[in-house]
Amino acid sequence: MFVIELELVFTGQARRRPCAGPNLEVSTMAQLQRFSMTINGRSSGTATVPVLDPATELPWAEVPECTASELDAAFRAAVGAQAGWAADDRARREALRKAADVVTGATEELARLLSAEQGKSVADAIGEVQGTAAWIGFYADVEVPDLEVVVEKSVGTARFPLGVVAAITPWNYPLILSAWKFAPALRAGNSVVLKPSPYTPATVLRLGELLQGILPPGVFNVVSGGDEVGVAMTKHPDTAMVTFTGSIAAGKAIAAAVADDLKRVKLELGGNDPAILLEDVDPVAIAEDLFWGAFTNNGQVCGAAKRVYVPESLHDAVCDALVAVAERIRVGAGTEEGVQLGPINNRPQYERVRKLLNSAVSAGATVRTGGAAEQERGYFLRPTILTDVPAGQPIIDEEQFGPVLPLIPYSDLDAVVREINASKYGLGGSVWSADPNRALAIGRRLRVGMVYINGHAINHGPHVPFAGARWSGIGVENSIEGLKEYSQLQVIYANGADL
Ligand code: NAD
């Protein structure tokens, strides 16, 4: 069942239905809600830092800023709890199954918080919460072999947990991307200290509160704070592994920070995914899928299509078809009924996307649709289609992570493939054609972590691996492969002992 739900989360299909999410009156909340950190199974910290609603720019909640002594307490608790947690796989599975059920039971509450702090529609937020439960449930249920025989009666392999995993996550999918980390890390027998983004801490803090009493004290700690709390986590002597999703710049800083102690590190970083259209596509037939492959979550998806390569002969028809879809989209506060795309999540990102857009326009690009939205407040930008973008513009060469999509005409497909493979980004890439096998042959030439045929940013669920090449990441998330990354391989020469 989660396959369907997760496709809704990541491909934006939820928005193709009438978006009549529950009428949750977030924007009219009179009082600031307060959230606690979870350290050693108990609520901790004093909520003093405001969380803004990106649709109004007004605070609606307050969260703690983790102090150095609170962070030490979280790591002490995680160290203390880890061995007992690692000792009993059945207990881990049961606790994670209960945790998945708790998330399911709190779907509406968590979705309401998520929409308020992230900006996405309540319908999309519900999809994200459902996906989170599916991920935790998958790692509760998946069979993990205790020992694998390599040479009969002689050599086997086993795995043991690393210890305390420091998990650091971004603001685009705060809840599910946290689950991508803590669920496999916990199932593998580690304890976790998790820090969400300072722009979207509330939903993950609430998750920590809900799981107190479900997961043993100290096993799952949730702290909140700015980048410097993340830095302290990466340098903490009790951290055995850092698992991070976020920007390439922070990923590089983390890789440098862990080098001294050779801590294990997993990095899921930015993307600048190309979508390549072949000349046999029907522009109108593909327009909606292509649009949502780029604009799901307002383009704030690591693996969204961020540049579209179009054969010269199809350029105008593809542009017209995408503009037609874009102009039908309802933009507004995520909590308003029927809204399909909300605001950009935060002011620095809003300014960054507008700067990239303005730079392209100053250099001669044409805005076919989109640009500023009508709202007086909030970080709104309508879905924007750009053409005539000169080569070398950052909107093509860098990750925009927002609702602006450049169309790039081409006449030489081999040159497009060469250009993509020369990029430092290597998360995903898609090829679109009436002949899927022809598209696949081109897709297999792309040196990227994920290749999509006639679709983009598809995610079938926790059983499928997720990986980026070059600067887009180190390591694998999800599936049994992702779980293995939270453990150490041990080779056993049994010398006659039973394997
Ligand atoms: P960010 O790197 O600014 O922040 C992410 C998290 O890291 C936050 O919790 C932040 O406080 C923390 N942080 C920042 N600097 C740190 C440091 N030096 N040491 C430790 N922690 C630090 O990223 P963001 O702006 O929140 O997220 C947007 C970026 O994330 C985009 O580039 C996007 O592509 C990427 N992203 C990647 C994936 C993926 O799986 N590949 C998924 C989602 C988002």
Side-chain angles (χ1 to χ4, degrees), residues 349-363 365 386 389 393-402 404:
Q349 184 61 15
Y350 179 56
E351 302 293 356
R352 177 178 147 70
V353 176
R354 288 204 318 179
K355 193 170 155 201
L356 292 173
L357 174 59
N358 292 340
S359 159
V361 171
S362 304
L386 277 186
V389 185
Q393 273 297 303
I395 196 80
I396 294 175
D397 294 344
E398 296 173 18
E399 179 183 41
Q400 65 274 49
F401 214 61
V404 181

PDB file of all heavy atoms in Angstrom, residues 349-363 365 386 389 393-402 404:
ATOM      1  N   GLN A 349      16.126  31.173   1.213  1.00  0.00           N
ATOM      2  CA  GLN A 349      15.910  30.393  -0.001  1.00  0.00           C
ATOM      3  C   GLN A 349      15.083  31.179  -1.016  1.00  0.00           C
ATOM      4  O   GLN A 349      15.336  31.148  -2.222  1.00  0.00           O
ATOM      5  CB  GLN A 349      15.223  29.062   0.353  1.00  0.00           C
ATOM      6  CG  GLN A 349      15.034  28.130  -0.824  1.00  0.00           C
ATOM      7  CD  GLN A 349      16.343  27.707  -1.478  1.00  0.00           C
ATOM      8  OE1 GLN A 349      17.427  27.879  -0.896  1.00  0.00           O
ATOM      9  NE2 GLN A 349      16.264  27.186  -2.683  1.00  0.00           N
ATOM     10  N   TYR A 350      14.099  31.913  -0.539  1.00  0.00           N
ATOM     11  CA  TYR A 350      13.265  32.772  -1.392  1.00  0.00           C
ATOM     12  C   TYR A 350      14.152  33.796  -2.109  1.00  0.00           C
ATOM     13  O   TYR A 350      14.063  33.988  -3.329  1.00  0.00           O
ATOM     14  CB  TYR A 350      12.246  33.457  -0.480  1.00  0.00           C
ATOM     15  CG  TYR A 350      11.284  34.409  -1.115  1.00  0.00           C
ATOM     16  CD1 TYR A 350      10.460  34.019  -2.168  1.00  0.00           C
ATOM     17  CD2 TYR A 350      11.182  35.726  -0.635  1.00  0.00           C
ATOM     18  CE1 TYR A 350       9.553  34.920  -2.724  1.00  0.00           C
ATOM     19  CE2 TYR A 350      10.277  36.618  -1.184  1.00  0.00           C
ATOM     20  CZ  TYR A 350       9.468  36.213  -2.234  1.00  0.00           C
ATOM     21  OH  TYR A 350       8.569  37.091  -2.780  1.00  0.00           O
ATOM     22  N   GLU A 351      15.048  34.421  -1.335  1.00  0.00           N
ATOM     23  CA  GLU A 351      15.942  35.424  -1.938  1.00  0.00           C
ATOM     24  C   GLU A 351      16.875  34.771  -2.947  1.00  0.00           C
ATOM     25  O   GLU A 351      17.162  35.326  -4.000  1.00  0.00           O
ATOM     26  CB  GLU A 351      16.795  36.126  -0.854  1.00  0.00           C
ATOM     27  CG  GLU A 351      16.009  36.824   0.250  1.00  0.00           C
ATOM     28  CD  GLU A 351      15.217  38.029  -0.254  1.00  0.00           C
ATOM     29  OE1 GLU A 351      15.327  38.363  -1.439  1.00  0.00           O
ATOM     30  OE2 GLU A 351      14.460  38.617   0.556  1.00  0.00           O
ATOM     31  N   ARG A 352      17.342  33.579  -2.617  1.00  0.00           N
ATOM     32  CA  ARG A 352      18.277  32.897  -3.525  1.00  0.00           C
ATOM     33  C   ARG A 352      17.606  32.574  -4.860  1.00  0.00           C
ATOM     34  O   ARG A 352      18.173  32.811  -5.934  1.00  0.00           O
ATOM     35  CB  ARG A 352      18.770  31.612  -2.842  1.00  0.00           C
ATOM     36  CG  ARG A 352      19.682  30.799  -3.711  1.00  0.00           C
ATOM     37  CD  ARG A 352      20.204  29.546  -3.001  1.00  0.00           C
ATOM     38  NE  ARG A 352      20.387  28.463  -3.957  1.00  0.00           N
ATOM     39  CZ  ARG A 352      21.337  28.455  -4.884  1.00  0.00           C
ATOM     40  NH1 ARG A 352      22.186  29.443  -4.972  1.00  0.00           N
ATOM     41  NH2 ARG A 352      21.424  27.453  -5.737  1.00  0.00           N
ATOM     42  N   VAL A 353      16.380  32.042  -4.790  1.00  0.00           N
ATOM     43  CA  VAL A 353      15.693  31.666  -6.037  1.00  0.00           C
ATOM     44  C   VAL A 353      15.409  32.921  -6.861  1.00  0.00           C
ATOM     45  O   VAL A 353      15.589  32.938  -8.079  1.00  0.00           O
ATOM     46  CB  VAL A 353      14.392  30.886  -5.718  1.00  0.00           C
ATOM     47  CG1 VAL A 353      13.621  30.581  -6.994  1.00  0.00           C
ATOM     48  CG2 VAL A 353      14.704  29.595  -4.979  1.00  0.00           C
ATOM     49  N   ARG A 354      15.001  33.991  -6.186  1.00  0.00           N
ATOM     50  CA  ARG A 354      14.704  35.230  -6.925  1.00  0.00           C
ATOM     51  C   ARG A 354      15.977  35.811  -7.556  1.00  0.00           C
ATOM     52  O   ARG A 354      15.944  36.354  -8.658  1.00  0.00           O
ATOM     53  CB  ARG A 354      14.064  36.249  -5.987  1.00  0.00           C
ATOM     54  CG  ARG A 354      12.632  35.843  -5.638  1.00  0.00           C
ATOM     55  CD  ARG A 354      11.780  36.974  -5.221  1.00  0.00           C
ATOM     56  NE  ARG A 354      12.497  37.875  -4.325  1.00  0.00           N
ATOM     57  CZ  ARG A 354      11.985  38.981  -3.820  1.00  0.00           C
ATOM     58  NH1 ARG A 354      10.759  39.317  -4.134  1.00  0.00           N
ATOM     59  NH2 ARG A 354      12.674  39.744  -3.010  1.00  0.00           N
ATOM     60  N   LYS A 355      17.099  35.648  -6.854  1.00  0.00           N
ATOM     61  CA  LYS A 355      18.367  36.145  -7.400  1.00  0.00           C
ATOM     62  C   LYS A 355      18.746  35.364  -8.665  1.00  0.00           C
ATOM     63  O   LYS A 355      19.169  35.955  -9.670  1.00  0.00           O
ATOM     64  CB  LYS A 355      19.452  35.983  -6.321  1.00  0.00           C
ATOM     65  CG  LYS A 355      20.717  36.712  -6.612  1.00  0.00           C
ATOM     66  CD  LYS A 355      21.621  36.703  -5.379  1.00  0.00           C
ATOM     67  CE  LYS A 355      23.064  36.863  -5.834  1.00  0.00           C
ATOM     68  NZ  LYS A 355      24.019  36.414  -4.873  1.00  0.00           N
ATOM     69  N   LEU A 356      18.573  34.054  -8.623  1.00  0.00           N
ATOM     70  CA  LEU A 356      18.885  33.241  -9.804  1.00  0.00           C
ATOM     71  C   LEU A 356      17.978  33.633 -10.968  1.00  0.00           C
ATOM     72  O   LEU A 356      18.422  33.728 -12.122  1.00  0.00           O
ATOM     73  CB  LEU A 356      18.704  31.749  -9.481  1.00  0.00           C
ATOM     74  CG  LEU A 356      19.698  31.143  -8.499  1.00  0.00           C
ATOM     75  CD1 LEU A 356      19.294  29.718  -8.133  1.00  0.00           C
ATOM     76  CD2 LEU A 356      21.105  31.141  -9.082  1.00  0.00           C
ATOM     77  N   LEU A 357      16.707  33.851 -10.662  1.00  0.00           N
ATOM     78  CA  LEU A 357      15.729  34.230 -11.689  1.00  0.00           C
ATOM     79  C   LEU A 357      16.100  35.602 -12.271  1.00  0.00           C
ATOM     80  O   LEU A 357      16.165  35.773 -13.499  1.00  0.00           O
ATOM     81  CB  LEU A 357      14.330  34.248 -11.048  1.00  0.00           C
ATOM     82  CG  LEU A 357      13.168  34.754 -11.887  1.00  0.00           C
ATOM     83  CD1 LEU A 357      13.003  33.938 -13.158  1.00  0.00           C
ATOM     84  CD2 LEU A 357      11.858  34.678 -11.071  1.00  0.00           C
ATOM     85  N   ASN A 358      16.374  36.569 -11.407  1.00  0.00           N
ATOM     86  CA  ASN A 358      16.690  37.921 -11.882  1.00  0.00           C
ATOM     87  C   ASN A 358      17.973  37.944 -12.701  1.00  0.00           C
ATOM     88  O   ASN A 358      18.072  38.656 -13.709  1.00  0.00           O
ATOM     89  CB  ASN A 358      16.820  38.884 -10.692  1.00  0.00           C
ATOM     90  CG  ASN A 358      15.465  39.104 -10.026  1.00  0.00           C
ATOM     91  OD1 ASN A 358      14.426  38.866 -10.641  1.00  0.00           O
ATOM     92  ND2 ASN A 358      15.469  39.519  -8.773  1.00  0.00           N
ATOM     93  N   SER A 359      18.942  37.137 -12.270  1.00  0.00           N
ATOM     94  CA  SER A 359      20.199  37.080 -13.008  1.00  0.00           C
ATOM     95  C   SER A 359      19.953  36.561 -14.424  1.00  0.00           C
ATOM     96  O   SER A 359      20.463  37.115 -15.410  1.00  0.00           O
ATOM     97  CB  SER A 359      21.180  36.173 -12.257  1.00  0.00           C
ATOM     98  OG  SER A 359      22.184  35.709 -13.111  1.00  0.00           O
ATOM     99  N   ALA A 360      19.112  35.515 -14.550  1.00  0.00           N
ATOM    100  CA  ALA A 360      18.821  34.949 -15.878  1.00  0.00           C
ATOM    101  C   ALA A 360      18.079  35.977 -16.735  1.00  0.00           C
ATOM    102  O   ALA A 360      18.408  36.166 -17.916  1.00  0.00           O
ATOM    103  CB  ALA A 360      17.990  33.673 -15.719  1.00  0.00           C
ATOM    104  N   VAL A 361      17.122  36.668 -16.143  1.00  0.00           N
ATOM    105  CA  VAL A 361      16.327  37.650 -16.910  1.00  0.00           C
ATOM    106  C   VAL A 361      17.229  38.816 -17.358  1.00  0.00           C
ATOM    107  O   VAL A 361      17.174  39.260 -18.505  1.00  0.00           O
ATOM    108  CB  VAL A 361      15.125  38.135 -16.073  1.00  0.00           C
ATOM    109  CG1 VAL A 361      14.426  39.305 -16.739  1.00  0.00           C
ATOM    110  CG2 VAL A 361      14.142  36.985 -15.869  1.00  0.00           C
ATOM    111  N   SER A 362      18.089  39.271 -16.450  1.00  0.00           N
ATOM    112  CA  SER A 362      19.003  40.360 -16.837  1.00  0.00           C
ATOM    113  C   SER A 362      19.911  39.942 -17.984  1.00  0.00           C
ATOM    114  O   SER A 362      20.334  40.768 -18.789  1.00  0.00           O
ATOM    115  CB  SER A 362      19.904  40.761 -15.662  1.00  0.00           C
ATOM    116  OG  SER A 362      19.127  41.100 -14.577  1.00  0.00           O
ATOM    117  N   ALA A 363      20.215  38.641 -18.046  1.00  0.00           N
ATOM    118  CA  ALA A 363      21.102  38.153 -19.109  1.00  0.00           C
ATOM    119  C   ALA A 363      20.342  37.860 -20.405  1.00  0.00           C
ATOM    120  O   ALA A 363      20.945  37.419 -21.379  1.00  0.00           O
ATOM    121  CB  ALA A 363      21.826  36.893 -18.620  1.00  0.00           C
ATOM    122  N   ALA A 365      17.045  36.069 -20.520  1.00  0.00           N
ATOM    123  CA  ALA A 365      16.040  34.998 -20.467  1.00  0.00           C
ATOM    124  C   ALA A 365      14.626  35.583 -20.507  1.00  0.00           C
ATOM    125  O   ALA A 365      14.405  36.727 -20.104  1.00  0.00           O
ATOM    126  CB  ALA A 365      16.218  34.175 -19.192  1.00  0.00           C
ATOM    127  N   LEU A 386      11.130  29.341 -17.793  1.00  0.00           N
ATOM    128  CA  LEU A 386      12.088  30.258 -18.419  1.00  0.00           C
ATOM    129  C   LEU A 386      12.580  29.693 -19.744  1.00  0.00           C
ATOM    130  O   LEU A 386      12.896  28.498 -19.834  1.00  0.00           O
ATOM    131  CB  LEU A 386      13.323  30.390 -17.524  1.00  0.00           C
ATOM    132  CG  LEU A 386      13.339  31.350 -16.351  1.00  0.00           C
ATOM    133  CD1 LEU A 386      14.751  31.367 -15.760  1.00  0.00           C
ATOM    134  CD2 LEU A 386      12.927  32.743 -16.763  1.00  0.00           C
ATOM    135  N   VAL A 389      17.541  31.163 -22.010  1.00  0.00           N
ATOM    136  CA  VAL A 389      18.522  31.395 -20.929  1.00  0.00           C
ATOM    137  C   VAL A 389      19.927  31.217 -21.517  1.00  0.00           C
ATOM    138  O   VAL A 389      20.244  30.142 -22.043  1.00  0.00           O
ATOM    139  CB  VAL A 389      18.330  30.398 -19.766  1.00  0.00           C
ATOM    140  CG1 VAL A 389      19.272  30.753 -18.619  1.00  0.00           C
ATOM    141  CG2 VAL A 389      16.890  30.383 -19.300  1.00  0.00           C
ATOM    142  N   GLN A 393      24.480  30.542 -17.250  1.00  0.00           N
ATOM    143  CA  GLN A 393      23.682  31.139 -16.173  1.00  0.00           C
ATOM    144  C   GLN A 393      23.562  30.160 -14.997  1.00  0.00           C
ATOM    145  O   GLN A 393      23.327  28.966 -15.211  1.00  0.00           O
ATOM    146  CB  GLN A 393      22.284  31.497 -16.679  1.00  0.00           C
ATOM    147  CG  GLN A 393      22.196  32.873 -17.301  1.00  0.00           C
ATOM    148  CD  GLN A 393      22.510  33.967 -16.289  1.00  0.00           C
ATOM    149  OE1 GLN A 393      21.880  34.071 -15.257  1.00  0.00           O
ATOM    150  NE2 GLN A 393      23.535  34.778 -16.580  1.00  0.00           N
ATOM    151  N   PRO A 394      23.666  30.660 -13.767  1.00  0.00           N
ATOM    152  CA  PRO A 394      23.574  29.747 -12.616  1.00  0.00           C
ATOM    153  C   PRO A 394      22.242  29.002 -12.528  1.00  0.00           C
ATOM    154  O   PRO A 394      22.188  27.919 -11.957  1.00  0.00           O
ATOM    155  CB  PRO A 394      23.783  30.662 -11.409  1.00  0.00           C
ATOM    156  CG  PRO A 394      24.049  32.019 -11.913  1.00  0.00           C
ATOM    157  CD  PRO A 394      24.108  32.012 -13.405  1.00  0.00           C
ATOM    158  N   ILE A 395      21.163  29.538 -13.103  1.00  0.00           N
ATOM    159  CA  ILE A 395      19.877  28.831 -13.041  1.00  0.00           C
ATOM    160  C   ILE A 395      19.959  27.503 -13.812  1.00  0.00           C
ATOM    161  O   ILE A 395      19.189  26.577 -13.553  1.00  0.00           O
ATOM    162  CB  ILE A 395      18.721  29.715 -13.580  1.00  0.00           C
ATOM    163  CG1 ILE A 395      17.342  29.170 -13.181  1.00  0.00           C
ATOM    164  CG2 ILE A 395      18.758  29.851 -15.093  1.00  0.00           C
ATOM    165  CD1 ILE A 395      16.902  29.483 -11.827  1.00  0.00           C
ATOM    166  N   ILE A 396      20.922  27.399 -14.743  1.00  0.00           N
ATOM    167  CA  ILE A 396      21.135  26.131 -15.457  1.00  0.00           C
ATOM    168  C   ILE A 396      22.219  25.303 -14.770  1.00  0.00           C
ATOM    169  O   ILE A 396      22.075  24.101 -14.596  1.00  0.00           O
ATOM    170  CB  ILE A 396      21.552  26.387 -16.929  1.00  0.00           C
ATOM    171  CG1 ILE A 396      20.405  27.036 -17.698  1.00  0.00           C
ATOM    172  CG2 ILE A 396      21.977  25.077 -17.606  1.00  0.00           C
ATOM    173  CD1 ILE A 396      20.766  27.430 -19.130  1.00  0.00           C
ATOM    174  N   ASP A 397      23.284  25.965 -14.346  1.00  0.00           N
ATOM    175  CA  ASP A 397      24.467  25.226 -13.881  1.00  0.00           C
ATOM    176  C   ASP A 397      24.422  24.862 -12.399  1.00  0.00           C
ATOM    177  O   ASP A 397      25.189  24.027 -11.939  1.00  0.00           O
ATOM    178  CB  ASP A 397      25.735  26.056 -14.135  1.00  0.00           C
ATOM    179  CG  ASP A 397      25.988  26.224 -15.620  1.00  0.00           C
ATOM    180  OD1 ASP A 397      25.384  25.473 -16.408  1.00  0.00           O
ATOM    181  OD2 ASP A 397      26.773  27.125 -15.994  1.00  0.00           O
ATOM    182  N   GLU A 398      23.537  25.520 -11.633  1.00  0.00           N
ATOM    183  CA  GLU A 398      23.470  25.242 -10.194  1.00  0.00           C
ATOM    184  C   GLU A 398      22.067  24.782  -9.812  1.00  0.00           C
ATOM    185  O   GLU A 398      21.150  24.862 -10.612  1.00  0.00           O
ATOM    186  CB  GLU A 398      23.809  26.514  -9.395  1.00  0.00           C
ATOM    187  CG  GLU A 398      25.235  26.972  -9.615  1.00  0.00           C
ATOM    188  CD  GLU A 398      25.514  28.318  -8.947  1.00  0.00           C
ATOM    189  OE1 GLU A 398      24.739  28.715  -8.060  1.00  0.00           O
ATOM    190  OE2 GLU A 398      26.493  28.959  -9.355  1.00  0.00           O
ATOM    191  N   GLU A 399      21.942  24.372  -8.559  1.00  0.00           N
ATOM    192  CA  GLU A 399      20.641  23.896  -8.086  1.00  0.00           C
ATOM    193  C   GLU A 399      19.792  25.067  -7.624  1.00  0.00           C
ATOM    194  O   GLU A 399      20.178  25.789  -6.700  1.00  0.00           O
ATOM    195  CB  GLU A 399      20.862  22.935  -6.914  1.00  0.00           C
ATOM    196  CG  GLU A 399      19.561  22.430  -6.352  1.00  0.00           C
ATOM    197  CD  GLU A 399      19.741  21.531  -5.146  1.00  0.00           C
ATOM    198  OE1 GLU A 399      20.584  21.833  -4.290  1.00  0.00           O
ATOM    199  OE2 GLU A 399      19.017  20.536  -5.074  1.00  0.00           O
ATOM    200  N   GLN A 400      18.603  25.262  -8.235  1.00  0.00           N
ATOM    201  CA  GLN A 400      17.750  26.378  -7.801  1.00  0.00           C
ATOM    202  C   GLN A 400      16.923  26.003  -6.576  1.00  0.00           C
ATOM    203  O   GLN A 400      16.647  26.834  -5.746  1.00  0.00           O
ATOM    204  CB  GLN A 400      16.865  26.882  -8.952  1.00  0.00           C
ATOM    205  CG  GLN A 400      15.819  25.918  -9.493  1.00  0.00           C
ATOM    206  CD  GLN A 400      16.378  25.006 -10.566  1.00  0.00           C
ATOM    207  OE1 GLN A 400      17.424  24.412 -10.370  1.00  0.00           O
ATOM    208  NE2 GLN A 400      15.677  24.863 -11.672  1.00  0.00           N
ATOM    209  N   PHE A 401      16.468  24.764  -6.488  1.00  0.00           N
ATOM    210  CA  PHE A 401      15.693  24.295  -5.322  1.00  0.00           C
ATOM    211  C   PHE A 401      14.509  25.217  -5.067  1.00  0.00           C
ATOM    212  O   PHE A 401      14.268  25.694  -3.946  1.00  0.00           O
ATOM    213  CB  PHE A 401      16.590  24.217  -4.087  1.00  0.00           C
ATOM    214  CG  PHE A 401      16.243  23.105  -3.136  1.00  0.00           C
ATOM    215  CD1 PHE A 401      16.296  21.788  -3.522  1.00  0.00           C
ATOM    216  CD2 PHE A 401      15.860  23.372  -1.821  1.00  0.00           C
ATOM    217  CE1 PHE A 401      15.984  20.757  -2.644  1.00  0.00           C
ATOM    218  CE2 PHE A 401      15.544  22.361  -0.932  1.00  0.00           C
ATOM    219  CZ  PHE A 401      15.617  21.050  -1.355  1.00  0.00           C
ATOM    220  N   GLY A 402      13.745  25.459  -6.120  1.00  0.00           N
ATOM    221  CA  GLY A 402      12.591  26.351  -6.030  1.00  0.00           C
ATOM    222  C   GLY A 402      11.812  26.291  -7.337  1.00  0.00           C
ATOM    223  O   GLY A 402      12.206  25.599  -8.276  1.00  0.00           O
ATOM    224  N   VAL A 404      11.325  27.440 -10.319  1.00  0.00           N
ATOM    225  CA  VAL A 404      11.741  28.081 -11.576  1.00  0.00           C
ATOM    226  C   VAL A 404      12.417  27.016 -12.441  1.00  0.00           C
ATOM    227  O   VAL A 404      13.359  26.362 -11.977  1.00  0.00           O
ATOM    228  CB  VAL A 404      12.734  29.229 -11.317  1.00  0.00           C
ATOM    229  CG1 VAL A 404      13.131  29.883 -12.635  1.00  0.00           C
ATOM    230  CG2 VAL A 404      12.132  30.270 -10.380  1.00  0.00           C
TER     231      VAL A 404
END
